[in-house]
Amino acid sequence: IMVNKAEKQPAPVSFKKVSYIPFKCPNCGWDLPLHQFYFIHLCTTCQRAWLERGGQFRAVNFAVALAPNGAEQSLVYLPFWVCHVEIGSQEQMLKTVADLHSFSLMFPTRVSKDTDGSPLRFFIPAMEIRNIVAANKLATSVTNVQPTIAYVPKDRLGQCHLSGAFLPPKAAKEMVRVLLCSLTPKNNRRRQIFVENADISINKMHLLWWPF
């Protein structure tokens, strides 16, 4: 038994490939703001966002939602991963906002249906929230709205107080199925079977800072 357990132990980590990288923007060369728990590093000089993995920086698409009445300085912006998803199960597809409205049955009565044909988006909070229930509730609330968004011009980003992004994109993708379960009627067995067998495709994703 001990031999079998020993064979299943993970291989020792090699430190021969450890190296140092300059914590500078790969695009403009200016220092990036340092926070040990942030996964996304935003360069305010050239307005680029970067994710560091394996000793290399990878560019991350991001946007900042425009605050009402141009009140950028008085608000705090919280980060969300916006995932464009398509969900298929039992020969049924959820691709648009209208599809989700019909499936979820949790949306309030809406007057405007201008966004019904828009691609379906899931909003996953990327800020630090220790309570997973609270994080899921926030994700459900914003995803329910499927907001139409205007964006802050890049030259005005310095006026916005952007909170740090603590959730990596891989973890955000894993939360998509949890969010789908939260959007599913609890007493509708047919909908629940749909979720159990659902094949979820994430076409693209980006980081969005939303004003609060």
Side-chain angles (χ1 to χ4, degrees), residues 83-88 93-95 120 122 173 176-177 180 198-204:
C83 304
H84 293 249
V85 301
E86 292 185 358
I87 305 167
M93 291 292 297
L94 305 182
K95 293 183 177 182
L120 178 58
F122 278 15
K173 292 178 180 179
V176 166
R177 186 172 293 274
L180 177 61
D199 181 19
I200 302 175
S201 298
I202 300 177
N203 299 325
K204 59 182 178 179

Side-chain angles (χ1 to χ4, degrees), residues 4 9-10 12-13 33 56-57 61 64 75 77-78 95 106 112 115 126 136 140 147 157 181 194-195 208:
N4 291 336
Q9 295 298 317
V13 177
Q56 293 183 338
F57 287 108
N61 292 327
V64 179
L75 298 174
Y77 290 75
L78 302 181
K95 293 183 177 182
M106 296 174 63
S112 174
T115 61
N136 186 56
T140 304
L157 291 182
C181 292
F194 175 95
V195 173
L208 171 70

Side-chain angles (χ1 to χ4, degrees), residues 101-140:
H101 285 179
S102 300
F103 170 84
S104 179
L105 305 178
M106 296 174 63
F107 292 83
T109 301
R110 297 165 298 113
V111 177
S112 174
K113 296 185 178 181
D114 294 340
T115 61
D116 277 2
S118 300
L120 178 58
R121 298 166 298 165
F122 278 15
F123 294 79
I124 309 296
M127 73 289 294
E128 184 180 23
I129 303 179
R130 298 182 183 275
N131 189 327
I132 187 63
V133 175
N136 186 56
K137 184 176 181 180
L138 179 59
T140 304

